[in-house]
Amino acid sequence: MYFIANWKMFGGLKSLNSLHKVKKFFNSFKKNKSIKIVYCPPNTLIRPMTKILKDSHIEVGAQNCHAHKTYGPFTGSVNSSMLKNVGAKYVIIGHSENRQNGESDKLINLKIKSALKAGLKVIFCIGETSQQKRKKITKQVLNKQIKIGLEKINDKNKVLIAYEPVWSIGSGLIPKSNELLDTIDYIKKKIKRIKVLYGGSVNPKNIAELNLVNNIDGFLIGGASQDPKKFIDIIKKTYI
Ligand code: PGA
């Protein structure tokens, strides 16, 4: 099971103090469990975070990258090799908050390619909007995002899919268990042997319900991951 913390645009150096708690918990909890924790902080915290987590099994990732593989005149951007260089092992690509800002499937595809080339693992986000759900075109939407996003990508074993319905992100809403089971099954049939995580309003209160969906390989957790107690609670409750 994967537990991926997406801190979004939150956190300064002080926020890193909360990691000691998670590290302590995880060191005693991990035994005999195939569980992976990945923290994706803002780029400014990647390096200091890897230092704090160096003697733990917790890994660090980034939240986006530029599609260009090498250095270049792209003010304000960071490419995947630069993220790797400061200690990131993963990168989230295709998050709906970036898609809403104009990131296209084609650009996402280029970003995924450059990240894999740099040696990063990719957390590839897909999901439908509430309007698309209402129109009952969720599968068509996911199909297009997958088809273009993963076009000509061979090492899919370095890619994790995060299914995040846009309407569930930050809203407190989660899909019905049977719908989630069906959607994840659909994604797994499309891409053989892929791991599929669920993301969108995961919290300690709804984790038991989400956990009943038995084809989920982990969770991408936004808001609740900033609070170490909530994050630990989510992990603990997954194993009850
Ligand atoms: P949320 O965010 O858990 O705050 O809904 C999830 C995400 O956007 O990855």
Side-chain angles (χ1 to χ4, degrees):
M1 284 298 265
Y2 285 83
F3 296 88
I4 301 184
N6 175 11
W7 274 13
K8 310 194 180 192
M9 199 173 75
F10 292 93
L13 290 171
K14 261 196 188 151
S15 330
L16 299 178
N17 295 334
S18 70
L19 293 175
H20 293 290
K21 217 176 179 162
V22 180
K23 197 169 132 179
K24 206 167 143 209
F25 155 76
F26 192 53
N27 283 344
S28 61
F29 186 79
K30 192 181 182 312
K31 292 180 203 89
N32 308 324
K33 294 182 187 74
S34 66
I35 150 173
K36 261 200 183 298
I37 299 186
V38 183
Y39 265 91
C40 300
N43 288 348
T44 47
L45 297 180
I46 291 178
R47 191 64 185 159
M49 198 181 254
T50 56
K51 286 189 179 159
I52 291 182
L53 295 175
K54 84 173 175 320
D55 51 348
S56 76
H57 293 278
I58 303 173
E59 294 180 299
V60 180
Q63 299 171 14
N64 202 354
C65 65
H66 194 277
H68 200 73
K69 287 187 202 88
T70 52
Y71 293 148
F74 303 105
T75 305
S77 299
V78 174
N79 72 26
S80 40
S81 314
M82 293 155 88
L83 296 170
K84 176 100 197 289
N85 184 252
V86 291
K89 299 249 167 64
Y90 290 77
V91 59
I92 297 172
I93 296 180
H95 194 284
S96 62
E97 284 153 13
N98 297 322
R99 288 179 186 266
Q100 279 159 356
N101 279 333
E103 201 173 70
S104 67
D105 290 316
K106 182 77 200 131
L107 179 61
I108 289 166
N109 175 256
L110 294 174
K111 288 186 176 191
I112 295 177
K113 283 180 181 153
S114 84
L116 292 172
K117 196 144 197 197
L120 294 176
K121 291 186 189 130
V122 171
I123 301 149
F124 171 36
C125 300
I126 58 173
E128 82 286 1
T129 62
S130 57
Q131 200 187 20
Q132 290 163 334
K133 182 176 161 61
R134 247 181 284 122
K135 284 195 198 152
K136 298 197 180 0
I137 54 167
T138 297
K139 285 182 183 164
Q140 280 114 290
V141 171
L142 299 182
N143 184 42
K144 179 166 172 270
Q145 291 173 339
I146 291 170
K147 197 159 174 272
I148 306 175
L150 293 181
E151 199 169 1
K152 299 210 175 103
I153 288 171
N154 297 323
D155 34 359
K156 294 197 185 67
N157 58 334
K158 307 252 168 54
V159 178
L160 305 168
I161 302 276
Y163 169 56
E164 297 205 304
V166 181
W167 51 271
S168 77
I169 295 175
S171 64
L173 303 170
I174 56 167
K176 292 197 184 82
S177 302
N178 59 335
E179 285 177 0
L180 190 51
L181 187 81
D182 182 55
T183 309
I184 291 185
D185 194 48
Y186 174 78
I187 299 166
K188 288 191 169 181
K189 280 193 179 126
K190 288 239 128 255
I191 322 160
K192 300 275 172 289
R193 289 180 293 280
I194 199 97
K195 297 247 183 274
V196 183
L197 322 182
Y198 168 76
S201 293
V202 178
N203 63 42
K205 289 199 182 106
N206 60 26
I207 189 66
E209 183 183 336
L210 286 167
N211 215 14
L212 292 176
V213 182
N214 57 25
N215 54 2
I216 292 182
D217 299 304
F219 301 97
L220 178 54
I221 306 157
S225 73
Q226 289 161 39
D227 177 338
K229 195 178 162 319
K230 285 189 184 160
F231 193 56
I232 290 170
D233 247 25
I234 290 171
I235 299 171
K236 274 192 192 157
K237 288 184 175 169
T238 307
Y239 287 90
I240 288 172

